[in-house]
Amino acid sequence: MSDLGFDVPTDYGPLILGGLVAFALSGCVNMQFIVYWQIYPEETWPTKLLVVVMWLLDLCHSGFVAVAIWASLITHYGDMGSIDVIPWSVGPTVEVTAMVTFLVQSFFAYRIYRLHKHKWTVAGPVAILAFIRLVAASVSMSEMIRLKSYSAFVNKPFPSWVFTTGLSLSALVDIIITVFLCYFLRSGRSSVPSTNRLIDTLTLYTVQNGSATCLGAIGSLICALAAGMTSPLSPRGTRMRLDPVEPTSREPEKVDRRVQQTVEAKYDGEGDVDAESFPESHSA
């Protein structure tokens, strides 16, 4: 424990552990990125562009995490007066995470839009909530850069509530997406047992994706709230540890085209299959 009231293991421990796990998950994203191009060479160019953008954003995220660790543990080594200082790269880390989340949630909102007969009843609110979450992250980033202090950021009603609101919205949108995708898929069941088994498999993929990202956001929220009562530095390590879960769990997975065609044909209300409703990949 330092004279300033900060505990080095408690304050810097989450930063180191979070960074290590973040880099490991980033490696998983890189592997899945390579596999994607090998499995889906004929994918449509908008989906390919989305995958490339997400991969680049994940690389930027890892770079910002590395800069934050270097600034905290190397540049200011032994300087206890700087333990409460927010490195400049922490704010962009939060913003990059929100950008990846927004792209992925928008992708699934579009998928719901196509399945829901081109209606915005569900997809519209999902897209709006995802955008609000992005705005909340932008506000959090600007306040981190302006305040340059973890204690000031955590202990003030504003902007701490903006940060927690963004995490809450992220979890909420993931739940909405998972519930409605599962609903549309289950409604597409037919009298053919083989098709139903494939639909069950696709439903399982959807639940796995949604639950992983939702639990990541909820875990970040819980840790951020708990850190507000103990250490102003804990939120940064928590976010670095959990942020890459979103792009990793949403990487492309091979899904049987017959399931997609069955569900699309049912919700198009006609015999012809609207193949554009589902890209070849399970997710972007």
Side-chain angles (χ1 to χ4, degrees):
M1 180 75 69
S2 69
D3 296 335
L4 298 176
F6 296 107
D7 184 59
V8 174
T10 301
D11 294 333
Y12 282 143
L15 178 63
I16 298 176
L17 294 178
L20 292 175
V21 177
F23 296 142
L25 292 175
S26 183
C28 294
V29 172
N30 292 330
M31 177 192 67
Q32 291 176 329
F33 177 78
I34 297 173
V35 172
Y36 171 83
W37 291 101
Q38 295 176 342
I39 297 180
Y40 305 107
E42 304 300 328
E43 183 65 278
T44 59
W45 71 265
T47 305
K48 288 182 178 179
L49 179 61
L50 178 61
V51 171
V52 171
V53 170
M54 291 180 59
W55 175 67
L56 292 176
L57 288 175
D58 182 76
L59 290 181
C60 292
H61 178 275
S62 298
F64 287 135
V65 171
V67 171
I69 294 176
W70 183 273
S72 299
L73 302 181
I74 304 301
T75 303
H76 301 291
Y77 176 78
D79 183 7
M80 300 306 296
S82 65
I83 199 170
D84 187 46
V85 176
I86 301 179
W88 69 266
S89 62
V90 172
T93 300
V94 175
E95 179 67 12
V96 169
T97 300
M99 293 173 64
V100 172
T101 304
F102 175 74
L103 290 175
V104 173
Q105 292 177 341
S106 297
F107 177 85
F108 282 104
Y110 175 74
R111 178 170 291 181
I112 292 175
Y113 167 76
R114 296 303 300 264
L115 284 176
H116 200 202
K117 301 179 181 179
H118 298 81
K119 295 180 180 179
W120 290 100
T121 308
V122 178
V126 168
I128 292 174
L129 290 175
F131 180 74
I132 295 175
R133 185 264 189 275
L134 178 62
V135 172
S138 300
V139 173
S140 299
M141 178 189 68
S142 62
E143 288 299 307
M144 286 181 176
I145 295 176
R146 182 181 68 87
L147 296 173
K148 300 180 180 179
S149 169
Y150 286 108
S151 58
F153 182 83
V154 172
N155 296 329
K156 288 185 177 181
F158 177 86
S160 61
W161 69 267
V162 177
F163 184 77
T164 54
T165 298
L167 295 178
S168 301
L169 288 176
S170 180
L172 176 62
V173 173
D174 282 333
I175 292 174
I176 294 175
I177 290 174
T178 302
V179 169
F180 278 97
L181 281 180
C182 289
Y183 169 76
F184 290 132
L185 290 172
R186 302 298 292 180
S187 298
R189 292 173 63 88
S190 66
S191 58
V192 181
S194 60
T195 300
N196 290 337
R197 286 195 296 269
L198 293 173
I199 290 179
D200 292 340
T201 300
L202 184 56
T203 302
L204 177 61
Y205 288 157
T206 301
V207 173
Q208 289 175 339
N209 284 345
S211 60
T213 55
C214 180
L215 290 176
I218 292 176
S220 296
L221 177 61
I222 293 175
C223 292
L225 292 175
M229 298 180 290
T230 57
S231 168
L233 291 181
S234 297
R236 64 179 175 181
T238 303
R239 287 303 300 168
M240 290 176 186
R241 181 171 62 254
L242 295 175
D243 286 343
V245 171
E246 294 172 343
T248 300
S249 65
R250 295 177 185 271
E251 285 298 306
E253 294 183 48
K254 191 173 183 179
V255 178
D256 195 288
R257 172 62 69 178
R258 286 178 293 166
V259 179
Q260 300 173 0
Q261 292 177 340
T262 300
V263 178
E264 291 160 6
K266 181 179 181 65
Y267 280 94
D268 285 339
E270 54 189 27
D272 295 332
V273 176
D274 181 9
E276 188 181 354
S277 179
F278 270 104
E280 284 289 337
S281 62
H282 177 52
S283 58

